[in-house]
Amino acid sequence: MSFTSRLALTLVAALAAAAVVAPIAGAIVAMLGYRIPFPRIFDRTAMATVLVALIWSGGRLRFIPLLAKGFSNPGLNWTRAIKGLVVSIAIIVILGATAVLLGGTANSLGAAAARVPKYLLSAIVIAIIEEAFFRAFLLEGMRPDFRERGALVISAV
C-alpha cells in the first residue's frame, strides 16, 4: 500500500476516533465547570487523535525515519531561513504602517509589539512542528507516490 493511502486511512481513523472522544471530553470539561466552546474542544481532540494515530502507525508510515531525514542537515538552508525571516518582518512593518495610515493608532502598534515576546516562543515551536509535518513527513512520504512536483503541490495545499 502506498504512503498516501496509508496516511489517508490513518487520518480517517483518527478523525472518527475524535468524533467519538470529543463529546465525552466536552462533557467532562463542562462537568469541571469550564465553558470552552465545543469547536475548540473538537479541534484539540482531533489534533491529539491524529498525533496518536501517526505515532501508532509510525512504523508503516515511516514517521520517525522521515522526520530524521527531514532534519538531518539543518545547516543546509540557513540562508533561506534568514531571507524568509527578513521578508516576514518587512511584511509585518508594511502591514503595521498600512494600519496606521488607515486610521489605526500607533498605540495599538505599540501594544502589539509589546506582546511579541509572549508569542515568540509559540511561533517558533509552531514553525518547527509545521516544517516537521508538511516538509519532513508529508512531502518526503509522498515523493514516491507523486514525484517531486506533485508531492510539493499536494503537501503545500
Side-chain angles (χ1 to χ4, degrees):
M1 184 183 296
S2 73
F3 171 86
T4 307
S5 299
R6 283 192 174 125
L7 179 64
L9 287 173
T10 301
L11 293 178
V12 167
L15 293 177
V20 171
V21 172
I24 297 166
I28 292 169
V29 167
M31 284 188 327
L32 293 173
Y34 296 105
R35 299 187 51 77
I36 300 174
F38 183 74
R40 178 181 271 174
I41 292 170
F42 183 77
D43 286 350
R44 300 313 187 268
T45 305
M47 286 189 281
T49 56
V50 166
L51 178 62
V52 168
L54 287 174
I55 292 169
W56 182 64
S57 300
R60 289 170 288 195
L61 290 173
R62 302 181 333 267
F63 188 63
I64 300 300
L66 288 171
L67 289 179
K69 181 181 177 188
F71 286 102
S72 65
N73 197 352
L76 188 62
N77 291 310
W78 276 109
T79 57
R80 289 180 179 170
I82 299 290
K83 287 177 187 176
L85 182 62
V86 168
V87 168
S88 64
I89 290 171
I91 290 171
I92 290 170
V93 169
I94 291 168
L95 290 173
T98 303
V100 169
L101 290 173
L102 294 176
T105 64
N107 290 341
S108 62
L109 265 160
R115 289 190 300 251
V116 167
K118 179 180 176 183
Y119 295 109
L120 187 60
L121 180 60
S122 296
I124 292 169
V125 170
I126 289 168
I128 291 170
I129 291 169
E130 285 184 0
E131 285 302 309
F133 182 78
F134 290 106
R135 298 293 167 250
F137 175 67
L138 195 60
L139 177 62
E140 289 298 321
M142 289 183 157
R143 274 191 178 141
D145 297 342
F146 298 102
R147 293 192 224 148
E148 183 72 27
R149 183 167 288 152
L152 185 59
V153 169
I154 292 168
S155 70
V157 169

